[in-house]
Amino acid sequence: MESSETGSGLNSNLDRRSLLTAMGVAGLTTAPLISSSMMSSADAAGQTINFTAWEYQPDTIKSLVKSWSGKTGNKVNISFIPNVGYTAGIQARQRGGKPADVFYNFAYNSQKFVNQKWAADLRGLPGADKMVAEMFPSARSRFVAENGAIVSAPYFSAVHMLQYNKKMVAAAGFSSTPNSLQETYDQCKKIKANGVASPYVAYWVKDFVEEYLHVYLLAGGVKPFDNKGDPIFMDDPKTLEVLEWWQAMYKDGMTPKSVLTDDPGKHTTSIANGDAAFYALHHYFLRDIVESKGSASADIAQAKIVGTGGKTLQMGEVIQMGGKVSGKKKAAAWDFMKTYGYKDSKGEFSTFQKWAASGALCAPYPGFFKDPKVIAAFPKYMDLSLIQDTFQNSSDIVPARTLPWYQGFQAQCGTVIHDLLLGNSNPRATANALAIACKTAKSGSGL
Amino acid sequence: MPNRRFGFYLALPAILVLLVLLAIPALLTLFQSLFVVPDDGIGIGQFTDVDNYLFIFKNEIFWATCLRSIVFAAIFIIGSTLIGLAGALLLNEKFVGRLFLRGLLVLPWACPWLIVGIIWKWFLDGNIGLLNGVLMRLNLISSNQDFLSNPDTALVMTALAATWRQSCLVALLLLAGLQTMPRDIWDAASVDGAGIIQRFRHITLPWLRPALTVVTVLNVIYGLMQFDVIFAMTQGGPGSATTLLSYLIYRQFFIFTNFGVGSALAVALAVIALIGGLIAVKTLYRKIEV
């Protein structure tokens, strides 16, 4: 682990998980004291916040911003950048001297942005510790760096789930969804024999396949990285089993051959029209499947990816504060971030309530799932308690995914995994290539 | 005021814009390619001589990507020039609906590259794509083909998508050239007994040579710099089948945030484009001798 990259000044013997747990307890007990002694957001009225977001539900974003502005007397200038090219866009603005005060970011960029002073460390801001303390313990390390810096607040969180066609699974003679990767293959094979040409779909495009690497490693009982962020998956024999399974799924036609370039929209249409039995992706895609009103939409339900035994990947994106924001503007920006990524001034998850209603998005707080307004807002065809249980007990965020070098690994991962699926590589060589990709990403020597 | 000075003053605003928008960034890129540029973008960093160049030249990924980029550009240049030329010749003839068809030429060109990529992604789709439907009806294939997920066809298909858009611009430019050609030269050649191929070879083609030179140089640049269509259609995949130099540059700048190496790659790409452009000019440009 290159702790110097994160600027760690902590004793390296201190376990990361212990630190985060301690932060949780400390945050819950000391936050009220700290909050009262810190700058109040009420001091910060009349500020103008420059907010940059990507274009997911821009009208919802505008209404959330308008609501906060109305309550606080601060103005927010919203700037949208298309999802495609957001990373390049936000970096170009930073380098061009036009940084945002508050901005959406991909979690894998968050620590890098703090290291580069493009984003602020939120430690010490009123309620920041409490925000972290109220999260699922499994989620905290997405927002807290190894040195204790709070790098971001949540924009949304999600878990990978298996959307499945109940009738197809039952017709193939199975009483439940798969409880292992092997069972996934077996069920697919049976369903394929029943006439569904490509039973399994997933978003395996080059730039996204890295998420599935973790989904399947976790499902196969493999811990991908150790607590220091060093890769350990290649030393685990189960990794080879996972990669063999993955290759077989593609090679044996359990997925369409076009899965390497297909978009989620196509997969949604596919399962909603009865052309696929399984669709592995974030939980909120069930909403698209049901609301597309395809011929099989009513038959689609949601399950954990490998039943009750294994874990899946918990993901989410974040909001960050610009590294140069200071004074009263900082107080206003933080108040905005708290409202957007935590709770409003009344202590309600008002932003997340809205996202739950409009996009079935979740927040990494147990309190979110108990909030009556969230429960009322969440689509009725989704099993919120199952999603909560997955967040709480059956998912892992893989902390290494937010380390500063990680995006370099992600960029190389797609080529390596595609080579495996296309039969140009075998599982052992793939595991080795992934380990080399980690090494080059860490040293910044990837091409 | 002498004519030359007047001409210079007229060109001055354009020269200034080009200096600010092209020359300075180009020089800055060249400069950065010799340094390890800090991630935060502040300052220029440590001078590394030509280490960034040595790094990319020693990397086999670079050479494989170079070759792929040249193949992509070759398909793009040849395809868009030939299709554009054929379109221009057709639309230069008199027939009912000619004006309407000329108007249609602008449509693909008006589409951003990214949108072209998305349109073609659906067109080539392995399950519901129009191309598969047409080929099936013509009995040319017996089952749907996954053009974009197949490493053997993905590069050609993405190049064709880009070609589709560019050939419309080529047709427009060449059509403009054709319309300046005096009709009496063509008619005189007919009277002298020249056939259609001879007239095309000895009259039309030489007349279009300056326009073809410009078009080919533009095609070299667009072909080698292509990014958006690839990004929309395959993101460089499957595997590395459609990863071009422009994609590597994007990765270095915005994923690895390695501006030094990214700049070195950009300079390498610019040199390749320059060589390509020079070859095009050398091969095609001659004074009109009609």
Short mmCIF file of all heavy atoms in Angstrom, two decimals, chain A residues 84 87-88 91 95 112 116 118 205-207 257-258 260-263 266 407-408 411-412 415 418-419 422 444-447, chain B residues 39-41 55 59 62 121 125 127 146 148-149 151 231 235-239 243 247-248 251-259:
data_model
loop_
_atom_site.label_atom_id
_atom_site.label_comp_id
_atom_site.label_asym_id
_atom_site.label_seq_id
_atom_site.Cartn_x
_atom_site.Cartn_y
_atom_site.Cartn_z
N VAL A 84 -21.37 11.22 -20.13
CA VAL A 84 -20.24 10.80 -20.96
C VAL A 84 -19.23 11.95 -20.97
O VAL A 84 -19.55 13.05 -21.37
CB VAL A 84 -20.70 10.52 -22.40
CG1 VAL A 84 -19.51 10.17 -23.28
CG2 VAL A 84 -21.73 9.41 -22.43
N THR A 87 -15.79 12.98 -16.24
CA THR A 87 -14.46 13.00 -15.60
C THR A 87 -13.54 14.00 -16.30
O THR A 87 -12.88 14.81 -15.65
CB THR A 87 -13.82 11.59 -15.66
OG1 THR A 87 -14.65 10.72 -14.89
CG2 THR A 87 -12.43 11.57 -15.08
N ALA A 88 -13.54 13.94 -17.64
CA ALA A 88 -12.68 14.87 -18.39
C ALA A 88 -13.15 16.31 -18.18
O ALA A 88 -12.34 17.22 -17.99
CB ALA A 88 -12.72 14.51 -19.87
N GLN A 91 -12.28 17.67 -14.64
CA GLN A 91 -10.83 17.89 -14.50
C GLN A 91 -10.37 19.10 -15.32
O GLN A 91 -9.52 19.87 -14.88
CB GLN A 91 -10.07 16.64 -14.94
CG GLN A 91 -10.21 15.49 -13.96
CD GLN A 91 -9.28 14.34 -14.30
OE1 GLN A 91 -8.12 14.56 -14.59
NE2 GLN A 91 -9.78 13.13 -14.24
N ARG A 95 -8.36 22.28 -13.87
CA ARG A 95 -7.07 22.73 -14.40
C ARG A 95 -7.18 24.09 -15.07
O ARG A 95 -6.22 24.85 -15.12
CB ARG A 95 -6.54 21.72 -15.41
CG ARG A 95 -6.05 20.45 -14.77
CD ARG A 95 -5.63 19.43 -15.81
NE ARG A 95 -5.28 18.17 -15.17
CZ ARG A 95 -4.09 17.89 -14.69
NH1 ARG A 95 -3.12 18.75 -14.80
NH2 ARG A 95 -3.86 16.72 -14.12
N LYS A 112 -8.23 10.98 -4.98
CA LYS A 112 -7.25 11.63 -5.86
C LYS A 112 -7.50 13.15 -5.88
O LYS A 112 -6.56 13.94 -5.81
CB LYS A 112 -7.38 11.05 -7.28
CG LYS A 112 -6.34 11.56 -8.24
CD LYS A 112 -6.19 10.65 -9.44
CE LYS A 112 -7.22 10.93 -10.50
NZ LYS A 112 -7.01 10.13 -11.72
N GLN A 116 -4.96 16.07 -4.69
CA GLN A 116 -4.54 17.12 -5.62
C GLN A 116 -5.04 18.50 -5.21
O GLN A 116 -4.90 19.45 -5.98
CB GLN A 116 -5.03 16.77 -7.04
CG GLN A 116 -4.31 15.55 -7.58
CD GLN A 116 -4.86 15.06 -8.91
OE1 GLN A 116 -4.43 14.03 -9.41
NE2 GLN A 116 -5.81 15.76 -9.47
N TRP A 118 -7.93 19.52 -5.17
CA TRP A 118 -9.08 19.94 -5.96
C TRP A 118 -10.37 19.81 -5.15
O TRP A 118 -11.39 20.40 -5.49
CB TRP A 118 -9.21 19.11 -7.23
CG TRP A 118 -8.17 19.39 -8.26
CD1 TRP A 118 -7.28 20.43 -8.26
CD2 TRP A 118 -7.91 18.66 -9.45
NE1 TRP A 118 -6.49 20.39 -9.37
CE2 TRP A 118 -6.85 19.31 -10.13
CE3 TRP A 118 -8.46 17.52 -10.03
CZ2 TRP A 118 -6.34 18.85 -11.34
CZ3 TRP A 118 -7.96 17.07 -11.24
CH2 TRP A 118 -6.91 17.73 -11.89
N VAL A 205 -19.45 -3.99 -20.62
CA VAL A 205 -18.66 -3.19 -21.57
C VAL A 205 -17.30 -2.85 -20.95
O VAL A 205 -17.12 -2.91 -19.73
CB VAL A 205 -19.39 -1.89 -21.99
CG1 VAL A 205 -20.73 -2.20 -22.62
CG2 VAL A 205 -19.53 -0.93 -20.83
N LYS A 206 -16.39 -2.48 -21.79
CA LYS A 206 -15.00 -2.34 -21.39
C LYS A 206 -14.81 -1.42 -20.16
O LYS A 206 -14.06 -1.74 -19.25
CB LYS A 206 -14.21 -1.80 -22.57
CG LYS A 206 -12.72 -1.84 -22.39
CD LYS A 206 -12.02 -1.44 -23.66
CE LYS A 206 -10.54 -1.30 -23.41
NZ LYS A 206 -9.81 -0.93 -24.62
N ASP A 207 -15.48 -0.30 -20.15
CA ASP A 207 -15.26 0.67 -19.07
C ASP A 207 -16.01 0.33 -17.79
O ASP A 207 -15.88 1.04 -16.80
CB ASP A 207 -15.68 2.08 -19.53
CG ASP A 207 -14.59 2.73 -20.36
OD1 ASP A 207 -13.56 2.08 -20.59
OD2 ASP A 207 -14.77 3.89 -20.78
N LYS A 257 -23.58 -12.64 -27.42
CA LYS A 257 -22.20 -12.29 -27.78
C LYS A 257 -22.00 -10.77 -27.75
O LYS A 257 -20.90 -10.27 -27.51
CB LYS A 257 -21.84 -12.83 -29.17
CG LYS A 257 -21.77 -14.34 -29.23
CD LYS A 257 -20.64 -14.89 -28.38
CE LYS A 257 -20.68 -16.41 -28.31
NZ LYS A 257 -19.97 -16.95 -27.15
N SER A 258 -23.08 -10.05 -27.98
CA SER A 258 -22.97 -8.58 -28.03
C SER A 258 -22.88 -7.96 -26.63
O SER A 258 -22.79 -6.73 -26.52
CB SER A 258 -24.19 -8.00 -28.75
OG SER A 258 -25.37 -8.38 -28.08
N LEU A 260 -20.58 -7.57 -24.74
CA LEU A 260 -19.35 -6.79 -24.51
C LEU A 260 -19.51 -5.32 -24.91
O LEU A 260 -18.68 -4.49 -24.54
CB LEU A 260 -18.17 -7.40 -25.29
CG LEU A 260 -17.87 -8.88 -25.00
CD1 LEU A 260 -16.62 -9.31 -25.74
CD2 LEU A 260 -17.70 -9.11 -23.51
N THR A 261 -20.54 -5.03 -25.68
CA THR A 261 -20.74 -3.63 -26.08
C THR A 261 -22.18 -3.15 -25.84
O THR A 261 -22.50 -2.01 -26.17
CB THR A 261 -20.40 -3.42 -27.58
OG1 THR A 261 -21.08 -4.39 -28.35
CG2 THR A 261 -18.91 -3.52 -27.82
N ASP A 262 -23.02 -3.99 -25.29
CA ASP A 262 -24.43 -3.60 -25.09
C ASP A 262 -24.61 -2.66 -23.89
O ASP A 262 -23.94 -2.81 -22.87
CB ASP A 262 -25.30 -4.84 -24.86
CG ASP A 262 -25.54 -5.61 -26.15
OD1 ASP A 262 -25.34 -5.03 -27.23
OD2 ASP A 262 -25.92 -6.79 -26.06
N ASP A 263 -25.57 -1.74 -24.05
CA ASP A 263 -25.87 -0.78 -22.98
C ASP A 263 -26.94 -1.32 -22.03
O ASP A 263 -27.71 -2.20 -22.40
CB ASP A 263 -26.40 0.52 -23.60
CG ASP A 263 -25.33 1.23 -24.39
OD1 ASP A 263 -24.17 1.13 -24.00
OD2 ASP A 263 -25.67 1.86 -25.40
N LYS A 266 -30.47 -1.65 -23.43
CA LYS A 266 -30.78 -2.84 -24.23
C LYS A 266 -31.06 -4.04 -23.33
O LYS A 266 -31.98 -4.83 -23.60
CB LYS A 266 -29.60 -3.14 -25.16
CG LYS A 266 -29.94 -4.21 -26.16
CD LYS A 266 -28.80 -4.47 -27.11
CE LYS A 266 -29.06 -5.78 -27.85
NZ LYS A 266 -27.89 -6.24 -28.58
N GLN A 407 -8.21 4.26 -10.51
CA GLN A 407 -8.82 4.43 -11.82
C GLN A 407 -7.91 3.91 -12.93
O GLN A 407 -8.37 3.47 -13.98
CB GLN A 407 -9.18 5.90 -12.06
CG GLN A 407 -10.30 6.04 -13.08
CD GLN A 407 -10.55 7.48 -13.49
OE1 GLN A 407 -9.89 8.40 -13.02
NE2 GLN A 407 -11.51 7.67 -14.36
N GLY A 408 -6.62 3.95 -12.68
CA GLY A 408 -5.67 3.40 -13.65
C GLY A 408 -5.84 1.89 -13.79
O GLY A 408 -5.73 1.33 -14.89
N ALA A 411 -9.10 1.25 -15.72
CA ALA A 411 -8.96 1.49 -17.16
C ALA A 411 -8.36 0.30 -17.89
O ALA A 411 -8.67 0.04 -19.05
CB ALA A 411 -8.10 2.73 -17.40
N GLN A 412 -7.48 -0.43 -17.18
CA GLN A 412 -6.83 -1.57 -17.82
C GLN A 412 -7.63 -2.86 -17.69
O GLN A 412 -7.45 -3.80 -18.45
CB GLN A 412 -5.44 -1.78 -17.21
CG GLN A 412 -4.52 -0.58 -17.40
CD GLN A 412 -3.23 -0.76 -16.62
OE1 GLN A 412 -2.33 -1.44 -17.08
NE2 GLN A 412 -3.14 -0.16 -15.45
N THR A 415 -9.79 -4.34 -20.80
CA THR A 415 -9.07 -5.08 -21.85
C THR A 415 -8.75 -6.49 -21.39
O THR A 415 -8.94 -7.46 -22.12
CB THR A 415 -7.76 -4.34 -22.21
OG1 THR A 415 -8.09 -3.00 -22.57
CG2 THR A 415 -7.05 -5.00 -23.37
N HIS A 418 -12.01 -8.61 -21.11
CA HIS A 418 -12.53 -8.91 -22.45
C HIS A 418 -11.67 -9.98 -23.14
O HIS A 418 -12.20 -10.85 -23.83
CB HIS A 418 -12.58 -7.64 -23.30
CG HIS A 418 -13.84 -6.86 -23.10
ND1 HIS A 418 -14.24 -5.84 -23.94
CD2 HIS A 418 -14.81 -6.95 -22.16
CE1 HIS A 418 -15.39 -5.34 -23.52
NE2 HIS A 418 -15.75 -5.98 -22.43
N ASP A 419 -10.37 -9.88 -22.95
CA ASP A 419 -9.50 -10.90 -23.55
C ASP A 419 -9.83 -12.29 -23.00
O ASP A 419 -9.81 -13.29 -23.72
CB ASP A 419 -8.01 -10.58 -23.29
CG ASP A 419 -7.49 -9.53 -24.28
OD1 ASP A 419 -8.16 -9.30 -25.31
OD2 ASP A 419 -6.44 -8.92 -24.01
N LEU A 422 -13.20 -13.41 -24.54
CA LEU A 422 -13.07 -13.72 -25.97
C LEU A 422 -12.20 -14.95 -26.22
O LEU A 422 -12.00 -15.35 -27.36
CB LEU A 422 -12.48 -12.51 -26.72
CG LEU A 422 -13.41 -11.30 -26.82
CD1 LEU A 422 -12.63 -10.05 -27.21
CD2 LEU A 422 -14.53 -11.56 -27.82
N GLY A 444 1.75 4.33 -11.64
CA GLY A 444 1.41 5.35 -12.63
C GLY A 444 2.08 5.12 -13.97
O GLY A 444 2.26 6.05 -14.74
N SER A 445 2.43 3.86 -14.25
CA SER A 445 3.16 3.59 -15.49
C SER A 445 2.32 2.83 -16.51
O SER A 445 2.85 2.24 -17.42
CB SER A 445 4.43 2.80 -15.17
OG SER A 445 4.10 1.58 -14.53
N GLY A 446 1.02 2.87 -16.35
CA GLY A 446 0.17 2.21 -17.33
C GLY A 446 0.03 3.06 -18.59
O GLY A 446 0.23 4.27 -18.56
N LEU A 447 -0.31 2.39 -19.70
CA LEU A 447 -0.50 3.17 -20.94
C LEU A 447 -1.93 2.99 -21.41
O LEU A 447 -2.35 1.94 -21.77
CB LEU A 447 0.49 2.72 -22.01
CG LEU A 447 0.62 3.65 -23.22
CD1 LEU A 447 1.09 5.03 -22.80
CD2 LEU A 447 1.61 3.08 -24.23
N ASP B 39 0.17 16.26 -10.87
CA ASP B 39 -1.23 15.87 -11.01
C ASP B 39 -2.19 17.03 -10.83
O ASP B 39 -3.24 17.08 -11.44
CB ASP B 39 -1.57 14.79 -9.97
CG ASP B 39 -1.00 13.45 -10.36
OD1 ASP B 39 -0.46 13.35 -11.48
OD2 ASP B 39 -1.11 12.51 -9.56
N ASP B 40 -1.83 17.95 -9.94
CA ASP B 40 -2.78 19.03 -9.63
C ASP B 40 -2.78 20.10 -10.72
O ASP B 40 -3.56 21.05 -10.66
CB ASP B 40 -2.48 19.65 -8.27
CG ASP B 40 -1.07 20.21 -8.17
OD1 ASP B 40 -0.40 20.30 -9.21
OD2 ASP B 40 -0.65 20.54 -7.05
N GLY B 41 -1.89 19.97 -11.68
CA GLY B 41 -1.88 20.91 -12.80
C GLY B 41 -1.21 22.23 -12.48
O GLY B 41 -1.17 23.14 -13.30
N PHE B 55 9.40 6.07 -22.90
CA PHE B 55 8.41 5.23 -22.23
C PHE B 55 7.37 4.71 -23.22
O PHE B 55 7.05 3.52 -23.25
CB PHE B 55 7.74 6.01 -21.09
CG PHE B 55 6.56 5.30 -20.49
CD1 PHE B 55 6.73 4.16 -19.71
CD2 PHE B 55 5.26 5.75 -20.72
CE1 PHE B 55 5.64 3.50 -19.16
CE2 PHE B 55 4.17 5.10 -20.19
CZ PHE B 55 4.36 3.97 -19.41
N ASN B 59 6.89 0.72 -25.24
CA ASN B 59 5.69 0.00 -24.83
C ASN B 59 5.00 -0.60 -26.05
O ASN B 59 4.64 0.12 -26.99
CB ASN B 59 4.74 0.97 -24.11
CG ASN B 59 3.70 0.24 -23.30
OD1 ASN B 59 3.12 -0.73 -23.77
ND2 ASN B 59 3.48 0.70 -22.08
N PHE B 62 1.71 0.81 -27.35
CA PHE B 62 1.76 2.00 -28.21
C PHE B 62 1.84 1.61 -29.68
O PHE B 62 1.09 2.12 -30.52
CB PHE B 62 2.96 2.88 -27.83
CG PHE B 62 3.21 3.99 -28.82
CD1 PHE B 62 2.40 5.11 -28.87
CD2 PHE B 62 4.27 3.90 -29.73
CE1 PHE B 62 2.63 6.13 -29.79
CE2 PHE B 62 4.50 4.91 -30.65
CZ PHE B 62 3.68 6.03 -30.68
N LYS B 121 -24.42 2.37 -33.49
CA LYS B 121 -24.43 1.26 -32.53
C LYS B 121 -25.75 0.50 -32.63
O LYS B 121 -25.78 -0.73 -32.61
CB LYS B 121 -24.22 1.81 -31.12
CG LYS B 121 -23.97 0.71 -30.12
CD LYS B 121 -23.52 1.24 -28.80
CE LYS B 121 -23.24 0.07 -27.87
NZ LYS B 121 -22.80 0.48 -26.57
N ASP B 125 -26.51 -3.33 -34.23
CA ASP B 125 -26.81 -4.20 -33.08
C ASP B 125 -26.95 -5.67 -33.49
O ASP B 125 -27.53 -5.99 -34.53
CB ASP B 125 -28.10 -3.72 -32.41
CG ASP B 125 -28.35 -4.44 -31.11
OD1 ASP B 125 -28.95 -5.54 -31.13
OD2 ASP B 125 -27.89 -3.93 -30.08
N ASN B 127 -28.72 -8.00 -32.17
CA ASN B 127 -30.03 -8.63 -32.02
C ASN B 127 -31.12 -7.94 -32.83
O ASN B 127 -31.95 -8.59 -33.45
CB ASN B 127 -30.44 -8.62 -30.53
CG ASN B 127 -29.43 -9.34 -29.68
OD1 ASN B 127 -28.64 -8.72 -29.00
ND2 ASN B 127 -29.43 -10.65 -29.76
N ASP B 146 -22.74 -10.27 -34.54
CA ASP B 146 -22.43 -9.24 -33.53
C ASP B 146 -21.20 -8.47 -34.01
O ASP B 146 -20.08 -8.75 -33.60
CB ASP B 146 -22.18 -9.90 -32.18
CG ASP B 146 -23.44 -10.50 -31.63
OD1 ASP B 146 -24.38 -9.75 -31.39
OD2 ASP B 146 -23.48 -11.73 -31.49
N LEU B 148 -20.04 -5.52 -33.47
CA LEU B 148 -19.22 -4.70 -32.56
C LEU B 148 -18.56 -5.53 -31.46
O LEU B 148 -17.56 -5.10 -30.88
CB LEU B 148 -20.07 -3.60 -31.94
CG LEU B 148 -20.54 -2.52 -32.92
CD1 LEU B 148 -21.40 -1.49 -32.21
CD2 LEU B 148 -19.36 -1.83 -33.59
N SER B 149 -19.12 -6.67 -31.14
CA SER B 149 -18.50 -7.50 -30.09
C SER B 149 -17.48 -8.46 -30.67
O SER B 149 -16.82 -9.18 -29.93
CB SER B 149 -19.57 -8.29 -29.34
OG SER B 149 -20.36 -7.41 -28.60
N PRO B 151 -14.02 -8.96 -32.32
CA PRO B 151 -12.79 -8.18 -32.53
C PRO B 151 -12.37 -8.11 -34.00
O PRO B 151 -11.66 -7.20 -34.39
CB PRO B 151 -11.75 -8.93 -31.70
CG PRO B 151 -12.49 -9.84 -30.82
CD PRO B 151 -13.81 -10.11 -31.43
N PHE B 231 -15.77 6.04 -28.73
CA PHE B 231 -16.22 6.15 -27.33
C PHE B 231 -17.68 5.73 -27.22
O PHE B 231 -18.07 5.01 -26.31
CB PHE B 231 -16.03 7.59 -26.85
CG PHE B 231 -16.13 7.76 -25.36
CD1 PHE B 231 -15.06 7.39 -24.55
CD2 PHE B 231 -17.25 8.29 -24.77
CE1 PHE B 231 -15.13 7.53 -23.17
CE2 PHE B 231 -17.33 8.44 -23.39
CZ PHE B 231 -16.26 8.07 -22.60
N GLN B 235 -16.12 1.95 -26.71
CA GLN B 235 -15.21 2.37 -25.64
C GLN B 235 -13.83 1.72 -25.80
O GLN B 235 -13.15 1.41 -24.83
CB GLN B 235 -15.79 2.05 -24.28
CG GLN B 235 -17.08 2.80 -23.99
CD GLN B 235 -17.72 2.38 -22.69
OE1 GLN B 235 -17.41 1.33 -22.15
NE2 GLN B 235 -18.61 3.20 -22.19
N GLY B 236 -13.46 1.49 -27.03
CA GLY B 236 -12.13 0.91 -27.28
C GLY B 236 -12.13 -0.60 -27.32
O GLY B 236 -11.11 -1.21 -27.62
N GLY B 237 -13.25 -1.24 -26.99
CA GLY B 237 -13.33 -2.69 -26.94
C GLY B 237 -13.89 -3.27 -28.22
O GLY B 237 -14.08 -2.53 -29.19
N PRO B 238 -14.18 -4.55 -28.27
CA PRO B 238 -13.91 -5.52 -27.21
C PRO B 238 -12.40 -5.75 -27.06
O PRO B 238 -11.69 -5.72 -28.07
CB PRO B 238 -14.62 -6.78 -27.72
CG PRO B 238 -14.69 -6.61 -29.20
CD PRO B 238 -14.80 -5.15 -29.45
N GLY B 239 -11.97 -5.99 -25.84
CA GLY B 239 -10.54 -6.05 -25.58
C GLY B 239 -9.92 -4.72 -25.97
O GLY B 239 -10.37 -3.67 -25.53
N THR B 243 -9.20 0.26 -29.70
CA THR B 243 -8.48 1.28 -28.93
C THR B 243 -7.50 2.00 -29.86
O THR B 243 -6.56 1.40 -30.38
CB THR B 243 -7.71 0.63 -27.76
OG1 THR B 243 -8.65 -0.04 -26.92
CG2 THR B 243 -6.98 1.68 -26.93
N TYR B 247 -7.67 7.43 -27.93
CA TYR B 247 -8.21 6.85 -26.70
C TYR B 247 -7.11 6.73 -25.63
O TYR B 247 -7.35 6.99 -24.45
CB TYR B 247 -8.83 5.48 -27.01
CG TYR B 247 -9.91 5.10 -26.04
CD1 TYR B 247 -11.20 5.59 -26.20
CD2 TYR B 247 -9.65 4.29 -24.95
CE1 TYR B 247 -12.19 5.27 -25.30
CE2 TYR B 247 -10.64 3.96 -24.05
CZ TYR B 247 -11.92 4.45 -24.23
OH TYR B 247 -12.90 4.13 -23.33
N LEU B 248 -5.92 6.35 -26.07
CA LEU B 248 -4.79 6.28 -25.12
C LEU B 248 -4.49 7.67 -24.55
O LEU B 248 -4.17 7.81 -23.36
CB LEU B 248 -3.54 5.74 -25.80
CG LEU B 248 -3.44 4.25 -26.13
CD1 LEU B 248 -2.01 3.90 -26.52
CD2 LEU B 248 -3.87 3.38 -24.97
N ARG B 251 -7.00 8.51 -21.95
CA ARG B 251 -6.72 7.77 -20.70
C ARG B 251 -5.57 8.39 -19.92
O ARG B 251 -5.63 8.51 -18.70
CB ARG B 251 -6.39 6.31 -21.01
CG ARG B 251 -7.61 5.51 -21.26
CD ARG B 251 -7.49 4.03 -21.23
NE ARG B 251 -6.20 3.39 -21.27
CZ ARG B 251 -6.07 2.08 -21.42
NH1 ARG B 251 -7.14 1.32 -21.58
NH2 ARG B 251 -4.89 1.52 -21.44
N GLN B 252 -4.52 8.79 -20.64
CA GLN B 252 -3.37 9.37 -19.94
C GLN B 252 -3.73 10.70 -19.28
O GLN B 252 -3.33 10.98 -18.17
CB GLN B 252 -2.20 9.57 -20.91
CG GLN B 252 -1.47 8.28 -21.26
CD GLN B 252 -0.92 7.56 -20.05
OE1 GLN B 252 -0.36 8.18 -19.14
NE2 GLN B 252 -1.09 6.25 -19.99
N PHE B 253 -4.50 11.51 -19.99
CA PHE B 253 -4.84 12.82 -19.45
C PHE B 253 -5.83 12.75 -18.30
O PHE B 253 -5.66 13.40 -17.28
CB PHE B 253 -5.41 13.72 -20.56
CG PHE B 253 -4.36 14.41 -21.38
CD1 PHE B 253 -4.16 14.10 -22.71
CD2 PHE B 253 -3.55 15.38 -20.81
CE1 PHE B 253 -3.18 14.74 -23.46
CE2 PHE B 253 -2.57 16.02 -21.55
CZ PHE B 253 -2.39 15.70 -22.88
N PHE B 254 -6.88 11.96 -18.48
CA PHE B 254 -8.00 12.06 -17.54
C PHE B 254 -8.17 10.85 -16.62
O PHE B 254 -8.97 10.90 -15.70
CB PHE B 254 -9.30 12.33 -18.31
CG PHE B 254 -9.24 13.64 -19.05
CD1 PHE B 254 -9.25 13.66 -20.43
CD2 PHE B 254 -9.15 14.83 -18.38
CE1 PHE B 254 -9.19 14.85 -21.13
CE2 PHE B 254 -9.08 16.03 -19.05
CZ PHE B 254 -9.10 16.05 -20.43
N ILE B 255 -7.48 9.78 -16.87
CA ILE B 255 -7.60 8.62 -15.97
C ILE B 255 -6.32 8.44 -15.18
O ILE B 255 -6.32 8.45 -13.97
CB ILE B 255 -7.99 7.36 -16.76
CG1 ILE B 255 -9.41 7.56 -17.31
CG2 ILE B 255 -7.92 6.12 -15.88
CD1 ILE B 255 -9.92 6.49 -18.21
N PHE B 256 -5.19 8.34 -15.90
CA PHE B 256 -3.91 8.24 -15.20
C PHE B 256 -3.43 9.62 -14.74
O PHE B 256 -2.49 9.73 -13.97
CB PHE B 256 -2.85 7.61 -16.10
CG PHE B 256 -3.08 6.15 -16.39
CD1 PHE B 256 -3.70 5.73 -17.54
CD2 PHE B 256 -2.68 5.19 -15.48
CE1 PHE B 256 -3.92 4.38 -17.80
CE2 PHE B 256 -2.88 3.84 -15.72
CZ PHE B 256 -3.50 3.43 -16.89
N THR B 257 -4.08 10.68 -15.24
CA THR B 257 -3.65 12.08 -15.03
C THR B 257 -2.14 12.24 -15.19
O THR B 257 -1.47 12.90 -14.41
CB THR B 257 -4.12 12.67 -13.67
OG1 THR B 257 -3.93 11.73 -12.64
CG2 THR B 257 -5.53 13.14 -13.72
N ASN B 258 -1.64 11.61 -16.23
CA ASN B 258 -0.22 11.70 -16.53
C ASN B 258 -0.06 12.61 -17.75
O ASN B 258 -0.03 12.14 -18.90
CB ASN B 258 0.33 10.29 -16.80
CG ASN B 258 1.83 10.26 -16.78
OD1 ASN B 258 2.47 11.29 -16.99
ND2 ASN B 258 2.40 9.09 -16.55
N PHE B 259 0.05 13.90 -17.50
CA PHE B 259 0.05 14.87 -18.60
C PHE B 259 1.31 14.79 -19.45
O PHE B 259 1.26 15.09 -20.64
CB PHE B 259 -0.13 16.29 -18.04
CG PHE B 259 -1.58 16.69 -17.94
CD1 PHE B 259 -2.47 15.90 -17.24
CD2 PHE B 259 -2.05 17.83 -18.56
CE1 PHE B 259 -3.81 16.23 -17.16
CE2 PHE B 259 -3.40 18.18 -18.48
CZ PHE B 259 -4.27 17.38 -17.77
#
